[in-house]
Amino acid sequence: MNISILGCGWLGLPLAKKLVEEGHVVKGSTTSREKMTQLTSEGILPYLLKLHTEGIQGDITAFLSDADVLIIDIPPGLRGDPDANFIGKIGRLQDYIKKSGVANVLFISSTSVYEDSLEIPVYTENDPANGISESAKQLRSAEELLRNSESFSASIVRFGGLFGPGRNPVNYLSGRKNIKDPKAPVNLIHLEDCIGIIIEIINKKAWGEIFNAASPEHPSKEEHYTSKARENNLPLPEFDQGHASKGKTIRSVNLKEKLDYSFRQVL
Ligand SMILES: NC(=O)c1ccc[n+]([C@@H]2O[C@H](COP(=O)([O-])OP(=O)(O)OC[C@H]3O[C@@H](n4cnc5c(N)ncnc54)[C@H](OP(=O)(O)O)[C@@H]3O)[C@@H](O)[C@H]2O)c1
C-alpha cells in the first residue's frame, strides 16, 4: 500500500520504519529540513510540511497523491503554545484530503478526550468523549471533523500516555514533590503496542471506528511510579496525600472485537 504519515516524530518515525519493513511505500513528513536525510536513509520518502491555521507550508498535494491511507500523527501543541488552533490546522488539512481522493484516514488522538474525576470512571469507546480542557476540546473537535467527512472514512485511535525507548515518564516524576492524584489509575501504552494496533487497523481495514488504546494494567500513579523509580535507582517521587485523587480508567471493547488485539508489552 501507499501510506503517508503526517508527523514522523517519536511515534511516527518508528511506525514509518516498520511499515517500510513490511513492504509498503511510505511517505513521511517533518517540519525540519535536517531530518529529511534521516527519513531518506530509512527508506521513507521525505516531505517538508508544516500545518498552520492559515494554510499548509510544503507540497501537501504530492504528499497525499496516490495515498491509500493517511496517518495524522501530530500533537495539538497547546503545551508549547496555549493559543494554538489545532482544529484550524486540521480543517486546512481536511480541504486537501478531500481534493486528493485519499480513502482512509487514521487520526492519532489521546485518552485526554475523557475527563478525570473523583469517581474514577471507567470509559470505553461507547462513552461520549467529555473532556473539557482546551486540548481535549480541540482533539474532540478534530476527531468529529474527520469522522463526519463524507469524502473519506476515518478511524480514531485514542492512546494513553506513551512510553518506550527514550521516553519513560518516571524520569519526569522522579524526585518531584506534591504530585497530584496519587490514587488515579495509570493509562499507559508502549510504543510497540501503538505500532501493533495501527498496523492491525490498516491490515484489517477497520475504518470508521474509534479505538481506546491503553494497557489493561492500571496500578495507581503512586504504586506504579514509586516502583519504577526503585527499579531504576532513581529518587522516589512524593505525592500530595492531602487531596482526593481525580482520574479515570480507560478500557477498550473495540481492540478485542474489531481487531482481536492482545497487548505485547507489560508496564
Ligand atoms: N505524548 C503522549 O503521551 C501522547 C499520548 C496520547 C496520544 N499522543 C499522540 O501521539 C501522537 C504522536 O506523538 P509524539 O510524541 O510522537 O509527537 P512528537 O514526537 O512531538 O512528533 C510530532 C510530529 O509532528 C510533526 N509536527 C509538529 N507540529 C507540526 C505542524 N504544525 N505541522 C506539521 N507537522 C508537525 C513533528 O515534526 P518534526 O519532525 O519537525 O519534529 C513531528 O514529526 C500525537 O498525535 C499525539 O497527540 C501522545
Side-chain angles (χ1 to χ4, degrees), residues 211-244:
F211 295 94
N212 284 354
S215 160
E217 298 167 273
H218 301 280
S220 73
K221 216 162 143 181
E222 182 173 26
E223 279 172 297
H224 180 67
Y225 291 114
T226 304
S227 115
K228 286 288 162 194
R230 287 215 173 92
E231 238 174 65
N232 292 286
N233 288 320
L234 293 168
L236 298 187
E238 288 176 32
F239 291 85
D240 169 9
Q241 306 292 358
H243 298 90

mmCIF file of all heavy atoms in Angstrom, residues 211-244:
data_model
loop_
_atom_site.group_PDB
_atom_site.id
_atom_site.type_symbol
_atom_site.label_atom_id
_atom_site.label_comp_id
_atom_site.label_asym_id
_atom_site.label_seq_id
_atom_site.Cartn_x
_atom_site.Cartn_y
_atom_site.Cartn_z
ATOM 1 N N PHE A 211 -10.920 3.608 18.569
ATOM 2 C CA PHE A 211 -10.223 2.646 19.422
ATOM 3 C C PHE A 211 -9.619 3.364 20.618
ATOM 4 O O PHE A 211 -8.803 4.274 20.440
ATOM 5 C CB PHE A 211 -9.095 1.950 18.636
ATOM 6 C CG PHE A 211 -9.605 1.110 17.500
ATOM 7 C CD1 PHE A 211 -9.686 1.641 16.221
ATOM 8 C CD2 PHE A 211 -10.048 -0.178 17.714
ATOM 9 C CE1 PHE A 211 -10.189 0.897 15.164
ATOM 10 C CE2 PHE A 211 -10.554 -0.949 16.669
ATOM 11 C CZ PHE A 211 -10.620 -0.409 15.389
ATOM 12 N N ASN A 212 -10.009 2.961 21.824
ATOM 13 C CA ASN A 212 -9.285 3.392 23.019
ATOM 14 C C ASN A 212 -8.093 2.453 23.161
ATOM 15 O O ASN A 212 -8.258 1.234 23.036
ATOM 16 C CB ASN A 212 -10.154 3.240 24.270
ATOM 17 C CG ASN A 212 -11.198 4.329 24.374
ATOM 18 O OD1 ASN A 212 -11.210 5.259 23.573
ATOM 19 N ND2 ASN A 212 -12.071 4.213 25.356
ATOM 20 N N ALA A 213 -6.916 2.991 23.453
ATOM 21 C CA ALA A 213 -5.748 2.113 23.479
ATOM 22 C C ALA A 213 -4.824 2.478 24.639
ATOM 23 O O ALA A 213 -4.035 3.421 24.566
ATOM 24 C CB ALA A 213 -5.008 2.193 22.145
ATOM 25 N N ALA A 214 -5.013 1.717 25.743
ATOM 26 C CA ALA A 214 -4.119 1.824 26.901
ATOM 27 C C ALA A 214 -3.954 0.414 27.435
ATOM 28 O O ALA A 214 -4.881 -0.411 27.342
ATOM 29 C CB ALA A 214 -4.729 2.724 27.969
ATOM 30 N N SER A 215 -2.790 0.128 28.004
ATOM 31 C CA SER A 215 -2.524 -1.201 28.542
ATOM 32 C C SER A 215 -3.632 -1.592 29.535
ATOM 33 O O SER A 215 -4.118 -0.734 30.295
ATOM 34 C CB SER A 215 -1.167 -1.175 29.260
ATOM 35 O OG SER A 215 -1.095 -2.260 30.151
ATOM 36 N N PRO A 216 -4.023 -2.877 29.567
ATOM 37 C CA PRO A 216 -5.076 -3.291 30.514
ATOM 38 C C PRO A 216 -4.623 -3.265 31.976
ATOM 39 O O PRO A 216 -5.440 -3.469 32.875
ATOM 40 C CB PRO A 216 -5.414 -4.720 30.070
ATOM 41 C CG PRO A 216 -4.305 -5.155 29.189
ATOM 42 C CD PRO A 216 -3.628 -3.934 28.649
ATOM 43 N N GLU A 217 -3.335 -3.010 32.232
ATOM 44 C CA GLU A 217 -2.880 -2.888 33.636
ATOM 45 C C GLU A 217 -3.048 -1.435 34.095
ATOM 46 O O GLU A 217 -2.567 -0.529 33.407
ATOM 47 C CB GLU A 217 -1.396 -3.231 33.742
ATOM 48 C CG GLU A 217 -1.049 -4.643 33.333
ATOM 49 C CD GLU A 217 0.453 -4.757 33.162
ATOM 50 O OE1 GLU A 217 0.938 -4.471 32.058
ATOM 51 O OE2 GLU A 217 1.124 -5.099 34.149
ATOM 52 N N HIS A 218 -3.687 -1.276 35.260
ATOM 53 C CA HIS A 218 -3.930 0.095 35.753
ATOM 54 C C HIS A 218 -3.564 0.256 37.222
ATOM 55 O O HIS A 218 -4.444 0.562 38.043
ATOM 56 C CB HIS A 218 -5.413 0.466 35.565
ATOM 57 C CG HIS A 218 -5.888 0.399 34.158
ATOM 58 N ND1 HIS A 218 -5.644 1.399 33.238
ATOM 59 C CD2 HIS A 218 -6.581 -0.561 33.491
ATOM 60 C CE1 HIS A 218 -6.181 1.072 32.075
ATOM 61 N NE2 HIS A 218 -6.744 -0.121 32.197
ATOM 62 N N PRO A 219 -2.299 0.044 37.620
ATOM 63 C CA PRO A 219 -1.947 0.347 39.011
ATOM 64 C C PRO A 219 -2.128 1.844 39.262
ATOM 65 O O PRO A 219 -2.248 2.619 38.299
ATOM 66 C CB PRO A 219 -0.455 -0.026 39.077
ATOM 67 C CG PRO A 219 0.028 0.052 37.668
ATOM 68 C CD PRO A 219 -1.144 -0.313 36.793
ATOM 69 N N SER A 220 -2.145 2.245 40.532
ATOM 70 C CA SER A 220 -2.274 3.693 40.788
ATOM 71 C C SER A 220 -0.961 4.376 40.399
ATOM 72 O O SER A 220 0.093 3.738 40.331
ATOM 73 C CB SER A 220 -2.577 3.948 42.261
ATOM 74 O OG SER A 220 -1.407 3.703 43.029
ATOM 75 N N LYS A 221 -1.063 5.679 40.172
ATOM 76 C CA LYS A 221 0.102 6.503 39.819
ATOM 77 C C LYS A 221 1.196 6.331 40.887
ATOM 78 O O LYS A 221 2.365 6.140 40.563
ATOM 79 C CB LYS A 221 -0.380 7.959 39.847
ATOM 80 C CG LYS A 221 0.201 8.865 38.828
ATOM 81 C CD LYS A 221 -0.727 10.092 38.741
ATOM 82 C CE LYS A 221 0.059 11.352 38.529
ATOM 83 N NZ LYS A 221 -0.763 12.559 38.469
ATOM 84 N N GLU A 222 0.756 6.353 42.167
ATOM 85 C CA GLU A 222 1.721 6.258 43.263
ATOM 86 C C GLU A 222 2.443 4.900 43.243
ATOM 87 O O GLU A 222 3.664 4.833 43.300
ATOM 88 C CB GLU A 222 0.983 6.444 44.592
ATOM 89 C CG GLU A 222 1.896 6.407 45.789
ATOM 90 C CD GLU A 222 1.134 6.770 47.058
ATOM 91 O OE1 GLU A 222 -0.108 6.564 47.111
ATOM 92 O OE2 GLU A 222 1.778 7.257 47.993
ATOM 93 N N GLU A 223 1.660 3.818 43.119
ATOM 94 C CA GLU A 223 2.266 2.472 43.094
ATOM 95 C C GLU A 223 3.230 2.341 41.916
ATOM 96 O O GLU A 223 4.349 1.866 42.057
ATOM 97 C CB GLU A 223 1.180 1.413 42.853
ATOM 98 C CG GLU A 223 0.357 0.988 44.021
ATOM 99 C CD GLU A 223 -0.790 0.095 43.525
ATOM 100 O OE1 GLU A 223 -1.652 0.555 42.751
ATOM 101 O OE2 GLU A 223 -0.818 -1.058 43.920
ATOM 102 N N HIS A 224 2.737 2.734 40.728
ATOM 103 C CA HIS A 224 3.498 2.480 39.506
ATOM 104 C C HIS A 224 4.819 3.260 39.499
ATOM 105 O O HIS A 224 5.888 2.687 39.269
ATOM 106 C CB HIS A 224 2.648 2.852 38.287
ATOM 107 C CG HIS A 224 3.361 2.621 36.992
ATOM 108 N ND1 HIS A 224 3.699 1.362 36.541
ATOM 109 C CD2 HIS A 224 3.828 3.481 36.051
ATOM 110 C CE1 HIS A 224 4.327 1.449 35.383
ATOM 111 N NE2 HIS A 224 4.423 2.734 35.070
ATOM 112 N N TYR A 225 4.730 4.576 39.770
ATOM 113 C CA TYR A 225 5.948 5.376 39.618
ATOM 114 C C TYR A 225 6.913 5.183 40.781
ATOM 115 O O TYR A 225 8.123 5.309 40.599
ATOM 116 C CB TYR A 225 5.596 6.849 39.374
ATOM 117 C CG TYR A 225 4.961 7.014 38.008
ATOM 118 C CD1 TYR A 225 3.635 7.396 37.861
ATOM 119 C CD2 TYR A 225 5.688 6.725 36.855
ATOM 120 C CE1 TYR A 225 3.055 7.501 36.606
ATOM 121 C CE2 TYR A 225 5.118 6.823 35.589
ATOM 122 C CZ TYR A 225 3.805 7.209 35.474
ATOM 123 O OH TYR A 225 3.233 7.301 34.222
ATOM 124 N N THR A 226 6.398 4.824 41.961
ATOM 125 C CA THR A 226 7.303 4.521 43.069
ATOM 126 C C THR A 226 8.078 3.255 42.711
ATOM 127 O O THR A 226 9.309 3.199 42.861
ATOM 128 C CB THR A 226 6.513 4.323 44.388
ATOM 129 O OG1 THR A 226 5.739 5.488 44.603
ATOM 130 C CG2 THR A 226 7.431 4.072 45.568
ATOM 131 N N SER A 227 7.373 2.256 42.185
ATOM 132 C CA SER A 227 8.063 1.008 41.858
ATOM 133 C C SER A 227 9.035 1.204 40.691
ATOM 134 O O SER A 227 10.137 0.659 40.692
ATOM 135 C CB SER A 227 7.040 -0.117 41.647
ATOM 136 O OG SER A 227 7.050 -0.569 40.346
ATOM 137 N N LYS A 228 8.676 2.023 39.704
ATOM 138 C CA LYS A 228 9.592 2.292 38.574
ATOM 139 C C LYS A 228 10.829 3.063 39.036
ATOM 140 O O LYS A 228 11.940 2.807 38.566
ATOM 141 C CB LYS A 228 8.883 3.102 37.473
ATOM 142 C CG LYS A 228 7.902 2.296 36.685
ATOM 143 C CD LYS A 228 8.638 1.315 35.764
ATOM 144 C CE LYS A 228 7.738 0.215 35.295
ATOM 145 N NZ LYS A 228 8.398 -0.935 34.688
ATOM 146 N N ALA A 229 10.638 4.004 39.973
ATOM 147 C CA ALA A 229 11.786 4.768 40.482
ATOM 148 C C ALA A 229 12.739 3.817 41.223
ATOM 149 O O ALA A 229 13.963 3.875 41.039
ATOM 150 C CB ALA A 229 11.310 5.893 41.394
ATOM 151 N N ARG A 230 12.168 2.909 42.028
ATOM 152 C CA ARG A 230 13.001 1.921 42.759
ATOM 153 C C ARG A 230 13.778 1.057 41.779
ATOM 154 O O ARG A 230 14.985 0.871 41.918
ATOM 155 C CB ARG A 230 12.138 1.013 43.634
ATOM 156 C CG ARG A 230 11.605 1.702 44.844
ATOM 157 C CD ARG A 230 11.518 0.758 46.076
ATOM 158 N NE ARG A 230 11.150 1.545 47.226
ATOM 159 C CZ ARG A 230 9.885 1.745 47.629
ATOM 160 N NH1 ARG A 230 8.880 1.152 46.998
ATOM 161 N NH2 ARG A 230 9.617 2.520 48.654
ATOM 162 N N GLU A 231 13.048 0.535 40.765
ATOM 163 C CA GLU A 231 13.671 -0.342 39.757
ATOM 164 C C GLU A 231 14.857 0.335 39.077
ATOM 165 O O GLU A 231 15.845 -0.310 38.746
ATOM 166 C CB GLU A 231 12.637 -0.591 38.645
ATOM 167 C CG GLU A 231 12.280 -2.021 38.367
ATOM 168 C CD GLU A 231 11.140 -2.061 37.346
ATOM 169 O OE1 GLU A 231 11.331 -1.641 36.196
ATOM 170 O OE2 GLU A 231 10.038 -2.507 37.737
ATOM 171 N N ASN A 232 14.739 1.641 38.846
ATOM 172 C CA ASN A 232 15.773 2.375 38.105
ATOM 173 C C ASN A 232 16.748 3.128 39.023
ATOM 174 O O ASN A 232 17.517 3.969 38.551
ATOM 175 C CB ASN A 232 15.115 3.362 37.139
ATOM 176 C CG ASN A 232 14.389 2.652 36.009
ATOM 177 O OD1 ASN A 232 14.997 2.115 35.099
ATOM 178 N ND2 ASN A 232 13.074 2.592 36.099
ATOM 179 N N ASN A 233 16.676 2.828 40.349
ATOM 180 C CA ASN A 233 17.538 3.521 41.326
ATOM 181 C C ASN A 233 17.459 5.035 41.216
ATOM 182 O O ASN A 233 18.480 5.731 41.235
ATOM 183 C CB ASN A 233 19.002 3.086 41.150
ATOM 184 C CG ASN A 233 19.194 1.678 41.647
ATOM 185 O OD1 ASN A 233 18.626 1.308 42.690
ATOM 186 N ND2 ASN A 233 19.957 0.891 40.909
ATOM 187 N N LEU A 234 16.244 5.541 41.069
ATOM 188 C CA LEU A 234 16.043 6.995 40.968
ATOM 189 C C LEU A 234 15.445 7.510 42.273
ATOM 190 O O LEU A 234 14.796 6.735 43.005
ATOM 191 C CB LEU A 234 15.059 7.309 39.835
ATOM 192 C CG LEU A 234 15.536 7.008 38.416
ATOM 193 C CD1 LEU A 234 14.366 7.092 37.438
ATOM 194 C CD2 LEU A 234 16.633 7.994 38.011
ATOM 195 N N PRO A 235 15.621 8.802 42.588
ATOM 196 C CA PRO A 235 14.949 9.363 43.776
ATOM 197 C C PRO A 235 13.432 9.144 43.664
ATOM 198 O O PRO A 235 12.864 9.292 42.582
ATOM 199 C CB PRO A 235 15.276 10.855 43.699
ATOM 200 C CG PRO A 235 16.459 10.960 42.798
ATOM 201 C CD PRO A 235 16.423 9.784 41.866
ATOM 202 N N LEU A 236 12.792 8.784 44.783
ATOM 203 C CA LEU A 236 11.357 8.467 44.725
ATOM 204 C C LEU A 236 10.537 9.737 44.515
ATOM 205 O O LEU A 236 10.877 10.804 45.041
ATOM 206 C CB LEU A 236 10.908 7.807 46.036
ATOM 207 C CG LEU A 236 11.566 6.474 46.381
ATOM 208 C CD1 LEU A 236 10.893 5.861 47.611
ATOM 209 C CD2 LEU A 236 11.492 5.493 45.205
ATOM 210 N N PRO A 237 9.453 9.624 43.735
ATOM 211 C CA PRO A 237 8.528 10.762 43.632
ATOM 212 C C PRO A 237 7.727 10.873 44.923
ATOM 213 O O PRO A 237 7.507 9.862 45.597
ATOM 214 C CB PRO A 237 7.610 10.359 42.456
ATOM 215 C CG PRO A 237 7.729 8.877 42.328
ATOM 216 C CD PRO A 237 9.024 8.451 42.941
ATOM 217 N N GLU A 238 7.317 12.087 45.295
ATOM 218 C CA GLU A 238 6.498 12.252 46.503
ATOM 219 C C GLU A 238 5.140 12.819 46.113
ATOM 220 O O GLU A 238 5.063 13.742 45.297
ATOM 221 C CB GLU A 238 7.195 13.177 47.493
ATOM 222 C CG GLU A 238 8.398 12.491 48.127
ATOM 223 C CD GLU A 238 9.164 13.418 49.055
ATOM 224 O OE1 GLU A 238 8.535 14.302 49.682
ATOM 225 O OE2 GLU A 238 10.394 13.263 49.116
ATOM 226 N N PHE A 239 4.086 12.258 46.715
ATOM 227 C CA PHE A 239 2.729 12.569 46.258
ATOM 228 C C PHE A 239 1.970 13.426 47.264
ATOM 229 O O PHE A 239 2.235 13.379 48.463
ATOM 230 C CB PHE A 239 1.978 11.260 45.986
ATOM 231 C CG PHE A 239 2.533 10.533 44.789
ATOM 232 C CD1 PHE A 239 3.625 9.678 44.910
ATOM 233 C CD2 PHE A 239 1.995 10.742 43.533
ATOM 234 C CE1 PHE A 239 4.154 9.034 43.798
ATOM 235 C CE2 PHE A 239 2.515 10.102 42.406
ATOM 236 C CZ PHE A 239 3.602 9.238 42.549
ATOM 237 N N ASP A 240 1.024 14.200 46.743
ATOM 238 C CA ASP A 240 0.152 15.037 47.559
ATOM 239 C C ASP A 240 -0.954 14.150 48.139
ATOM 240 O O ASP A 240 -1.849 13.727 47.406
ATOM 241 C CB ASP A 240 -0.437 16.133 46.652
ATOM 242 C CG ASP A 240 -1.566 16.907 47.312
ATOM 243 O OD1 ASP A 240 -1.788 16.725 48.536
ATOM 244 O OD2 ASP A 240 -2.238 17.681 46.614
ATOM 245 N N GLN A 241 -0.863 13.864 49.462
ATOM 246 C CA GLN A 241 -1.864 12.979 50.075
ATOM 247 C C GLN A 241 -2.998 13.791 50.693
ATOM 248 O O GLN A 241 -3.921 13.227 51.273
ATOM 249 C CB GLN A 241 -1.210 12.088 51.163
ATOM 250 C CG GLN A 241 -0.008 11.299 50.677
ATOM 251 C CD GLN A 241 -0.357 10.198 49.661
ATOM 252 O OE1 GLN A 241 -1.514 9.985 49.339
ATOM 253 N NE2 GLN A 241 0.655 9.515 49.128
ATOM 254 N N GLY A 242 -2.936 15.113 50.554
ATOM 255 C CA GLY A 242 -3.897 15.995 51.235
ATOM 256 C C GLY A 242 -5.205 16.173 50.485
ATOM 257 O O GLY A 242 -6.146 16.738 51.018
ATOM 258 N N HIS A 243 -5.272 15.753 49.227
ATOM 259 C CA HIS A 243 -6.492 15.967 48.437
ATOM 260 C C HIS A 243 -6.910 14.655 47.781
ATOM 261 O O HIS A 243 -6.054 13.835 47.447
ATOM 262 C CB HIS A 243 -6.237 16.996 47.326
ATOM 263 C CG HIS A 243 -5.855 18.333 47.853
ATOM 264 N ND1 HIS A 243 -4.547 18.697 48.100
ATOM 265 C CD2 HIS A 243 -6.624 19.385 48.211
ATOM 266 C CE1 HIS A 243 -4.529 19.923 48.573
ATOM 267 N NE2 HIS A 243 -5.772 20.367 48.670
ATOM 268 N N ALA A 244 -8.228 14.496 47.600
ATOM 269 C CA ALA A 244 -8.721 13.277 46.930
ATOM 270 C C ALA A 244 -8.228 13.268 45.480
ATOM 271 O O ALA A 244 -8.060 14.332 44.867
ATOM 272 C CB ALA A 244 -10.239 13.267 46.972
#
